[in-house]
Amino acid sequence: MGYNKANNLIEKYLGKKATLKEEETVESWYINYARNKEDKLPEPDYEAVEAEVWSILEPKPKRSWSWQRIGIAASVALMLSLGIYFYNSSDRKMASKAKYATDIVPGRNRAIIRLANGKQIYLSDLKSGVSIKGKQLVYDDGSNIEAIHAKDAEVLTISTPRGGQYNVELPDGTLVTLNAASTLKFPSTFLGALNRVVELDGEGYFKVVKNKDHPFIVNTTKQDVKVLGTHFNISAYADDPTTLTTLEEGLVEVRSKNGSKGTLLKPNQQSILTASNRITVKEVNVTDELAWKNGLFIFNEENLESTMRKISRWYDVEIYYQDKLPPMSFLGSISRSKSLSTVINLLEKSGGVHFKIEGRRVIVMK
């Protein structure tokens, strides 16, 4: 069952629109969760929750709601609102709560700007973005960083390390948000250029300023994306098996480096470029795909390896697989502001996998 289907089923349960079989399914999730949880869910304060619960659980004829079921509904509502409902498609048994000797804080605003002359500027982690204003580099609050003295356009490079992210406003006003371990190369000015061309390695979300006379092109190692003005996300990490382009608004053309024909994307579509240079297109939930930009991890039937790569980049840790594990996938969401131990503890609760933190290394075990 997919994440959206699970969410819809829980919402039907809370709205008393679920069939008897659907109600039993939701209650079985809760019962299984409570049975296997080391720290049992506390007994609800029935008097305190009665008014709130009955406001969404109106009784229907021929179907009575006991206090036990109201408690279940309240707990299911809590799990849904916290966004920590996880299940593992290969093994749904809950693991015992892990103990970690060390912990690692989440990523933050971190980036480096490299000028054409080789000078490196470490951007402030107290700021969230940088922009190009004429011949001046400035922070998003208007404070100056560095003057650009080149007479012609020079190539600037902004890089986020593992455990970092940053915003950049390009000379044409286009806004880019870079995810962790990502690099964007761009000119200090687009004046005189037929096309507005930038290079991306890693992941970035783009809000491109419209200019039909000067298309905006994002080059990656394996593909080029051409737009006139639109909002889209590209994930092109070297260690990922595919390159993903997700369109939020507008129209883009995706073309592999070795392909002759471009593929057009419409809003809410995602192109997947494989190692064999084959492009496929599917419908996606854009909110889920852009969750990283909004401070969330969302795992939607995501396999273990992909999940751990995201964790590795954001927390700047090495992942080591001690055991060979069966295929498994994860479903759920959690804030990227949480500590590493909080995130992997939730993954553990989905069953079938355990973790150990040693310095900046996460060991994955049975």
Side-chain angles (χ1 to χ4, degrees):
M1 180 182 294
Y3 180 73
N4 292 332
K5 290 183 179 179
N7 257 357
N8 291 338
L9 189 54
I10 292 173
E11 289 170 358
K12 285 178 69 176
Y13 181 94
L14 295 176
K16 286 212 69 182
K17 297 179 181 178
T19 65
L20 183 58
K21 184 176 181 180
E22 289 171 337
E23 287 178 357
E24 291 171 350
T25 298
V26 173
E27 289 169 10
S28 71
W29 292 343
Y30 168 78
I31 293 167
N32 185 59
Y33 176 82
R35 181 185 296 121
N36 292 283
K37 195 176 190 306
E38 182 181 31
D39 298 320
K40 303 296 184 182
L41 291 174
E43 188 76 5
D45 182 348
Y46 295 127
E47 292 183 359
V49 303
E50 179 177 5
E52 179 180 358
V53 171
W54 278 111
S55 70
I56 58 173
L57 299 179
E58 296 293 340
K60 288 184 179 179
K62 300 182 180 179
R63 191 177 294 180
S64 62
W65 282 70
S66 65
W67 275 117
Q68 179 187 24
R69 297 188 70 201
I70 292 173
I72 291 173
S75 299
V76 169
L78 177 63
M79 287 191 290
L80 181 62
S81 66
L82 292 177
I84 60 170
Y85 178 74
F86 273 79
Y87 84 101
N88 182 305
S89 61
S90 67
D91 184 356
R92 300 183 185 182
K93 293 182 180 179
M94 299 296 176
S96 61
K97 187 175 182 180
K99 305 298 180 182
Y100 306 105
T102 59
D103 201 359
I104 294 175
V105 297
R108 63 186 191 277
N109 294 326
R110 297 168 61 198
I112 300 172
I113 284 271
R114 294 178 180 85
L115 306 182
N117 62 9
K119 181 176 181 179
Q120 294 190 113
I121 302 171
Y122 288 81
L123 299 174
S124 172
D125 59 1
L126 300 179
K127 314 290 185 181
S128 62
V130 62
S131 62
I132 316 299
K133 301 295 184 183
K135 294 290 185 178
Q136 185 73 38
L137 280 174
V138 300
Y139 284 116
D140 51 7
D141 63 359
S143 56
N144 290 332
I145 304 173
E146 181 90 4
I148 302 173
H149 300 292
K151 294 182 180 179
D152 301 318
E154 66 172 88
V155 176
L156 305 179
T157 303
I158 181 170
S159 297
T160 54
R162 289 154 61 94
Q165 69 176 39
Y166 226 78
N167 299 316
V168 57
E169 181 181 350
L170 303 183
D172 65 339
T174 290
L175 301 176
V176 185
T177 301
L178 288 180
N179 203 350
S182 300
T183 297
L184 183 73
K185 293 183 179 180
F186 60 95
S188 59
T189 179
F190 288 115
L191 293 177
L194 178 62
N195 297 320
R196 298 171 289 165
V197 181
V198 301
E199 295 180 24
L200 174 70
D201 178 28
E203 184 167 18
Y205 172 77
F206 295 78
K207 293 181 69 173
V208 178
V209 171
K210 293 182 179 180
N211 187 334
K212 64 180 181 179
D213 297 324
H214 300 282
F216 192 94
I217 299 175
V218 182
N219 293 332
T220 70
T221 302
K222 299 177 181 178
Q223 71 173 26
D224 300 325
V225 176
K226 181 178 180 180
V227 304
L228 296 178
T230 186
H231 302 176
F232 61 98
N233 191 83
I234 299 176
S235 180
Y237 286 106
D239 59 347
D240 277 343
T242 58
T243 298
L244 306 177
T245 303
T246 307
L247 184 61
E248 182 180 31
E249 178 183 307
L251 187 70
V252 302
E253 179 187 71
V254 181
R255 187 188 303 270
S256 71
K257 293 292 188 181
N258 298 327
S260 58
K261 184 179 180 181
T263 299
L264 292 178
L265 292 185
K266 297 177 181 179
N268 302 312
Q269 288 186 335
Q270 180 182 80
S271 66
I272 302 119
L273 174 64
T274 64
S276 61
N277 287 309
R278 181 171 177 263
I279 294 178
T280 59
V281 177
K282 68 176 183 178
E283 301 287 329
V284 295
N285 183 322
V286 172
T287 300
D288 288 358
E289 298 299 321
L290 302 182
W292 69 268
K293 187 178 71 71
N294 299 315
L296 288 174
F297 287 115
I298 289 187
F299 305 117
N300 193 349
E301 297 284 5
E302 191 136 7
N303 65 46
L304 175 64
E305 292 75 16
S306 176
T307 299
M308 297 312 295
R309 283 195 297 270
K310 290 182 178 180
I311 288 173
S312 172
R313 293 174 194 135
W314 185 236
Y315 292 94
D316 188 15
V317 292
E318 175 192 356
I319 306 299
Y320 173 73
Y321 293 89
Q322 177 175 293
D323 301 312
K324 185 176 181 180
L325 297 167
M328 62 182 69
S329 60
F330 300 97
L331 180 71
S333 65
I334 186 172
S335 170
R336 282 170 36 123
S337 67
K338 300 295 184 182
S339 67
L340 175 60
S341 65
T342 300
V343 174
I344 62 177
N345 186 43
L346 284 173
L347 295 179
E348 275 201 350
K349 289 182 181 297
S350 61
V353 63
H354 294 84
F355 304 94
K356 182 164 61 174
I357 302 174
E358 292 185 350
R360 302 205 73 85
R361 191 187 208 195
V362 176
I363 300 173
V364 185
M365 309 169 291
K366 289 182 179 178

